[in-house]
């Protein structure tokens, strides 16, 4: 009887550890995606500023 309870608790512990690791993995993916998104936004802003800087002289000449 004791062995049955020990095995049941061991199985439950293993299950909870697996769920926790899965949640940590999803959290890590979300952090990575957030950082990639921030990088994309920053690069796009810089590229936009460069395009505007190239267009300004043409607009002033017109």
């Amino acid at each position: 009887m004791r062995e049955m309870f020990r095995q049941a608790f061991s199985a439950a512990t293993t299950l909870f550890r697996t769920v926790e690791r899965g949640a940590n993995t999803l959290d890590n993916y979300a952090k990575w995606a957030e950082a990639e998104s921030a990088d994309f936004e920053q690069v796009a802003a810089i590229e936009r500023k460069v395009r505007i800087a190239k267009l300004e002289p043409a607009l002033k000449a017109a």
Side-chain angles (χ1 to χ4, degrees), residues 4-30:
M4 180 185 72
F5 282 121
R6 190 190 70 71
Q7 288 179 349
F9 284 120
S10 178
T13 301
T14 301
L15 177 65
F16 288 129
R17 283 184 187 158
T18 303
V19 170
E20 180 182 15
R21 286 181 180 163
N24 287 337
T25 299
L26 291 175
D27 187 45
N28 289 336
Y29 281 134

